[in-house]
Amino acid sequence: MTATNRPRWPWLLALAALLALPALAAAPGGNAHSGPSEVIFIVQLLALMIVGRLLGEGMLRLGQPAVMGQLIAGLLLGPSFFGFFLPDLQHALFPKNPEQKAMIDAVSQFGILLLLLLTGMETDLKLVRNTGRASIYASLMGILVPFGCGVALGELLPDSMLPDPEKRLITSLFLGTALSIASVKIVAMVVREMNFMRRVVGQVILASAIIDDTVGWIIISIIFSLALHGEIDPMSLAQSVGGTFIFMVASLTVGRRAVFFVIRWVNDNFMSEFAVITAILVIMSSMALITHAIGVHSVLGAFVAGILVGESPILTKHIDEQLRGLITAFFAPVFFGIAGLSADLTILADPKMAALTAGLIAIASIGKFGGAFIGAELGGLTKREGFALACGMNARGSTEIIIATVGLSMGALTQDLFTMIVAMAVITTMAMPPSLRWALARIPLRKEEKQRLEREEMEAKGFVPNLERLLLAVDDSPNGKFASRVAGVLAGAHGSPTTVLHIVDAAKPQTADNENKVKPDTKALESRTEQQKSEAKKEVKSSAKQAAADAKADKVQSEAEKKAENAGAAVKEAAEQIQKKQKKDEKTDAPLEITTIVHEAPNPALIAEEAKKGYDLLVIGLEKTSTRGKEFHESVASIAKSFEGPLAITAARGELLEKPDGKLSILVPVNGTEPSRRAAEVAITIARANKAPVTVLYVAVRTRKRASRMRRSIRTRRHEEAILKDIISIADSYNVSVRTAVRADLAPDEAILKEMGRRKHNLVVMGVGRRPGEKLFFGDTAATLLEKSERSLLFVAG
């Protein structure tokens, strides 16, 4: 069914429901004069959600942000439209009595914190660093110029428009802030839609908006503190600025580690559903209370909490989508609807107010556009890029509405000023998308941009870049150390948190020096009967054995924990190796978290329980990898069967068995399948970190008849070239050079073994697929290599 033929009955049903809402509010039990009513409260929520969702959908279809539809929904349901034509019904739906209004306002106020949390989660501070001075200049100039214009406007306003003429400076400062801040959410929407998210100008626009938001909420918090004191007192100002500075520094250092720990601990230890979301809400509320306690507004705490939560290494996409869904589906339409309800556009019927509003919009637009354009020039952008940046920074959107709501609640704005700011936010936001689209479409693509975009597009579809969390099961063998090296390289590529499960083989004999340290006290036994002596001797002997066993267990545990720490250190060392390489090429510095756990023997139940915490790859490296030639050892198989996700199994042999941290020479067999492509990514990542040579071997299916071989050569040559070209493009994106080879005259296992000997490779990285059955089996080729290869193997299974 096409879009033009979609049924209209859902829209008609929604319209009928809207017309019935005022009647429900005025029904018995919903009388506004009998005190607060939960019926009216529920009807209000229904109205805001339904109208907000319908108008948001309409805005999206017109190329506008959905949040504008939610704000317009509030304007339509408020005194500007519904209350103007049907005042009695509007008052029945949204009564003015304080008790009833407090119920919906409470949801709105908590919605502010959640929206700031979401804004913080979308804030990428690394982007600011990567864009350099261009975003800093653009943001600072884009703030200073309109801020100065806003303060000047506040000083020129008549006393009748001020909430308190004696506190004119606070209102002026608030106006300056309201005029100078851009909306990250609206800017990101258009930049993403135009596929400019990773372009230089797109990153500068986003980074500038991020700086705008961060600086804006700090300024708002300080102004709020000044409003509480009622005057500009140097001591209170110093206290506010100092408290904000200390809070920001503590949050971005100690607070970051604390938030990471809490989210990881809850994720790993709680079995109940949505426990991580509860933890995030607790973190947000706690930080909001902290900022309130130091005398600045709670919105700063919620915003900073969002930044820290968004940077958490194990914040999965699933959890992020759940939290985002809760906020955008319920709290956003309610909050923006309430903001629209608070504005009364009928005041614009007064020519004086209309002129003031037009002047406010002009000052805000010219100031922001001019300041951002000047900053772009100072930052080294071209005029076209500066024009696009200035267009993008002029959108106020949701950020402006939140600021205006905070200003109204703290008494810095009158109702008329609030309405003027809302009108300015709506007009500038709706004008921004078409102007930014027009400007971005005229910016040519730079050569270096094209290369970077191709690499990032490759990474987005890749295997290694999307590894968010790794699990490593190793023992203290050379193969375990080699597996730790492999896991460290993969984890270090993108700072993926890694858990090291150090497997202690309980079957191995352990020694203890203190088995006979506890001896019976024979003197105390002389006065007893022979039977008592015998019983006492047995008891003491049993105690001695137990003490010796405990001492042995303690020693074994201590040694195991030390070995686990060594394995973790090996992972970290390998990770730092690749991160050091990346700093030169991409200016990335992702911190790596290593958690070490000791388990006795390869227990499938324990592995399965650990796997529930959410891992993208299990790396296995045990001393006994195979038995009877072609089969994996039972310990490896039991661990692998307990993990449903991708696997990487190492089998260190030859020189890497003697020296697990030695030089590498890698061979990657490929055949065009997804597992072989994954293996190629892993091999290239390892090669990049170790500066190792790589040979990509395409193994074709062997055909016996000569005529068939000739036909096959003609038929499949292009296919082979396409497969090799794809792998080469992956290597090029990582700045790794690879050799290529094609073998069609041998069976796959023979071709791999022969190429390995010819090039003297000491590691084969092979993509495999799990085969059904009781045993762990990756196919005949992998089984033959497991049996015959004298060089090290790394199997990457999907």
Side-chain angles (χ1 to χ4, degrees):
M1 183 176 291
T2 62
T4 56
N5 294 327
R6 287 176 181 166
R8 300 180 183 275
W9 62 265
W11 296 87
L12 297 175
L13 184 62
L15 182 60
L18 289 175
L19 295 175
L21 288 178
L24 289 173
N31 190 351
H33 301 289
S34 61
S37 166
E38 66 275 10
V39 174
I40 294 179
F41 174 64
I42 294 172
V43 172
Q44 289 173 341
L45 293 179
L46 280 173
L48 293 172
M49 284 191 292
I50 293 174
V51 181
R53 183 57 57 200
L54 291 175
L55 291 181
E57 181 72 16
M59 288 291 104
L60 284 175
R61 295 178 184 229
L62 294 174
Q64 294 289 339
V67 68
M68 285 297 99
Q70 296 164 1
L71 178 61
I72 294 172
L75 293 172
L76 294 179
L77 290 172
S80 303
F81 184 82
F82 191 25
F84 181 78
F85 293 103
L86 299 169
D88 292 337
L89 284 178
Q90 200 273 339
H91 291 155
L93 183 59
F94 296 100
K96 297 291 186 181
N97 58 313
E99 295 86 356
Q100 189 69 54
K101 195 170 182 295
M103 296 177 71
I104 195 73
D105 282 347
V107 178
S108 176
Q109 291 301 314
F110 192 67
I112 291 178
L113 299 183
L114 288 175
L115 287 166
L116 264 296
L117 173 73
L118 189 59
T119 302
M121 290 173 63
E122 295 172 343
T123 298
D124 187 0
L125 295 181
K126 294 177 185 176
L127 189 63
V128 177
R129 184 188 66 180
N130 292 339
T131 54
R133 61 173 188 164
S135 58
I136 296 176
Y137 278 123
S139 179
L140 292 182
M141 294 303 296
I143 290 175
L144 290 175
V145 175
F147 184 85
C149 294
V151 172
L153 177 63
E155 293 297 316
L156 297 174
L157 285 175
D159 290 348
S160 59
M161 295 194 65
L162 302 176
D164 186 352
E166 295 182 359
K167 298 178 182 178
R168 177 185 291 273
L169 181 57
I170 292 175
T171 300
S172 299
L173 292 173
F174 206 93
L175 269 177
T177 306
L179 266 62
S180 60
I181 307 302
S183 173
V184 173
K185 188 180 296 292
I186 309 300
V187 170
M189 181 205 74
V190 179
V191 172
R192 186 181 295 112
E193 175 197 320
M194 295 290 292
N195 293 323
F196 267 73
M197 189 64 79
R198 304 307 302 170
R199 292 279 300 271
V200 170
V201 65
Q203 290 188 335
V204 172
I205 292 173
L206 285 177
S208 301
I210 287 169
I211 298 173
D212 268 24
D213 257 18
T214 306
V215 173
W217 293 117
I218 293 174
I219 295 174
I220 289 295
S221 299
I222 294 173
I223 295 174
F224 175 78
S225 177
L226 298 179
L228 288 178
H229 291 87
E231 59 182 355
I232 307 297
D233 178 60
M235 289 299 295
S236 64
L237 180 61
Q239 180 182 350
S240 301
V241 174
T244 302
F245 176 77
I246 294 172
F247 171 76
M248 294 295 294
V249 171
S251 297
L252 297 176
T253 52
V254 179
R256 175 183 275 110
R257 291 193 291 271
V259 168
F260 292 179
F261 171 80
V262 169
I263 293 177
R264 186 185 68 233
W265 186 84
V266 171
N267 179 78
D268 291 354
N269 293 280
F270 279 65
M271 298 180 64
S272 56
E273 295 182 349
F274 311 120
V276 174
I277 292 181
T278 302
I280 291 172
L281 295 178
V282 170
I283 291 169
M284 178 204 73
S285 302
S286 300
M287 296 188 72
L289 290 174
I290 290 172
T291 53
H292 178 77
I294 63 176
V296 297
H297 203 282
S298 56
V299 293
L300 179 63
F303 177 70
V304 176
I307 293 176
L308 301 183
V309 168
E311 291 181 345
S312 176
I314 65 166
L315 187 67
T316 63
K317 294 179 180 178
H318 180 60
I319 294 173
D320 181 74
E321 288 172 358
Q322 288 175 336
L323 184 60
R324 190 180 302 274
L326 170 69
I327 297 172
T328 56
F330 176 68
F331 286 98
V334 172
F335 168 74
F336 290 112
I338 292 294
L341 285 171
S342 302
D344 185 2
L345 296 182
T346 58
I347 67 170
L348 299 181
D350 182 354
K352 181 180 177 182
M353 293 300 299
L356 285 174
T357 303
L360 179 71
I361 295 171
I363 291 172
S365 300
I366 294 173
K368 192 67 176 177
F369 188 95
F373 187 82
I374 294 171
E377 288 283 320
L378 295 175
L381 298 183
T382 66
K383 284 184 169 53
R384 287 188 178 185
E385 291 172 336
F387 185 82
L389 185 145
C391 290
M393 297 299 289
N394 197 36
R396 271 49 177 209
S398 55
T399 303
E400 201 74 11
I401 304 302
I402 297 173
I403 290 176
T405 303
V406 172
L408 184 65
S409 65
M410 62 189 267
L413 299 176
T414 61
Q415 192 67 48
D416 289 347
L417 281 176
F418 174 82
T419 300
M420 291 167 60
I421 292 175
V422 168
M424 180 265 291
V426 171
I427 292 174
T428 57
T429 301
M430 296 189 72
M432 186 275 282
S435 62
L436 181 56
R437 291 187 189 103
W438 183 86
L440 289 177
R442 283 155 180 77
I443 298 177
L445 185 66
R446 301 177 183 179
K447 182 179 179 181
E448 59 273 16
E449 272 191 300
K450 183 178 180 181
Q451 294 174 345
R452 178 173 57 83
L453 290 173
E454 289 175 350
R455 184 185 71 244
E456 291 176 354
E457 184 180 358
M458 186 82 64
E459 289 183 349
K461 299 183 294 185
F463 173 64
V464 175
N466 290 295
L467 295 176
E468 294 183 351
R469 196 177 187 190
L470 272 63
L471 180 61
L472 173 64
V474 293
D475 56 18
D476 195 40
S477 65
N479 189 40
K481 294 177 181 177
F482 180 65
S484 299
R485 179 184 181 185
V486 171
V489 170
L490 298 178
H494 295 276
S496 307
T498 302
T499 298
V500 179
L501 291 178
H502 191 268
I503 306 298
V504 180
D505 192 347
K508 283 188 176 182
Q510 304 291 339
T511 59
D513 299 329
N514 50 1
E515 283 192 20
N516 300 316
K517 285 187 177 180
V518 182
K519 298 182 178 180
D521 186 359
T522 54
K523 291 184 179 180
L525 302 175
E526 291 178 355
S527 62
R528 302 182 184 181
T529 64
E530 292 300 326
Q531 185 178 359
Q532 289 175 328
K533 289 180 180 181
S534 178
E535 292 176 354
K537 287 179 180 179
K538 289 180 180 179
E539 183 179 349
V540 174
K541 189 174 182 180
S542 176
S543 299
K545 288 183 178 180
Q546 183 62 43
D550 291 343
K552 180 169 67 175
D554 290 342
K555 183 176 181 180
V556 171
Q557 180 71 13
S558 176
E559 290 177 353
E561 289 176 353
K562 185 176 181 180
K563 290 175 181 178
E565 291 176 0
N566 291 338
V571 173
K572 196 163 189 176
E573 182 180 353
E576 289 173 351
Q577 187 176 6
I578 192 169
Q579 287 182 338
K580 186 177 181 180
K581 171 67 177 174
Q582 287 182 166
K583 285 179 188 178
K584 295 178 181 178
D585 295 345
E586 301 165 17
K587 298 181 180 179
T588 59
D589 187 14
L592 182 64
E593 288 190 26
I594 304 293
T595 304
T596 57
I597 303 174
V598 176
H599 276 321
E600 282 194 11
N603 190 324
L606 292 174
I607 299 294
E609 186 65 27
E610 184 67 28
K612 291 179 182 178
K613 298 175 182 179
Y615 295 91
D616 300 298
L617 177 68
L618 169 62
V619 182
I620 304 175
L622 301 182
E623 182 177 8
K624 297 178 181 178
T625 305
S626 62
T627 57
R628 295 191 296 274
K630 296 183 178 182
E631 296 181 2
F632 283 100
H633 191 271
E634 182 182 353
S635 58
V636 174
S638 63
I639 291 176
K641 286 184 178 181
S642 305
F643 190 82
E644 296 180 356
L647 300 172
I649 302 177
T650 61
R653 298 174 179 180
E655 58 189 71
L656 291 179
L657 186 63
E658 298 175 1
K659 193 177 180 182
D661 59 346
K663 291 184 178 181
L664 299 176
S665 178
I666 303 172
L667 174 65
V668 190
V670 297
N671 58 4
T673 61
E674 183 61 28
S676 72
R677 194 178 192 275
R678 287 185 175 186
E681 280 190 58
V682 171
I684 290 167
T685 304
I686 295 172
R688 181 190 187 193
N690 295 276
K691 298 181 179 179
V694 181
T695 298
V696 179
L697 172 66
Y698 179 84
V699 182
V701 178
R702 183 172 60 175
T703 305
R704 293 184 179 181
K705 295 182 179 181
R706 182 177 179 183
S708 298
R709 287 201 302 268
M710 292 178 64
R711 286 196 299 269
R712 179 207 155 275
S713 177
I714 297 171
R715 186 172 61 247
T716 62
R717 185 176 299 168
R718 290 183 180 179
H719 178 64
E720 294 169 0
E721 291 176 354
I723 292 172
L724 292 174
K725 186 176 180 180
D726 177 50
I727 305 301
I728 291 171
S729 65
I730 296 175
D732 289 343
S733 67
Y734 286 99
N735 294 321
V736 174
S737 299
V738 298
R739 297 190 190 98
T740 59
V742 177
R743 299 301 296 262
D745 55 340
L746 295 171
D749 49 3
E750 295 175 4
I752 294 169
L753 290 170
K754 188 171 183 178
E755 186 69 24
M756 197 186 332
R758 190 168 73 91
R759 296 282 187 183
K760 296 183 180 180
H761 296 294
N762 61 1
L763 174 64
V764 176
V765 182
M766 182 176 178
V768 294
R770 298 197 204 193
R771 306 297 172 88
E774 293 295 326
K775 296 180 179 180
L776 181 64
F777 185 61
F778 293 146
D780 293 332
T781 302
T784 303
L785 290 178
L786 195 62
E787 178 187 15
K788 295 182 178 180
S789 176
E790 297 178 357
R791 312 291 172 85
S792 299
L793 304 170
L794 172 59
F795 297 108
V796 180

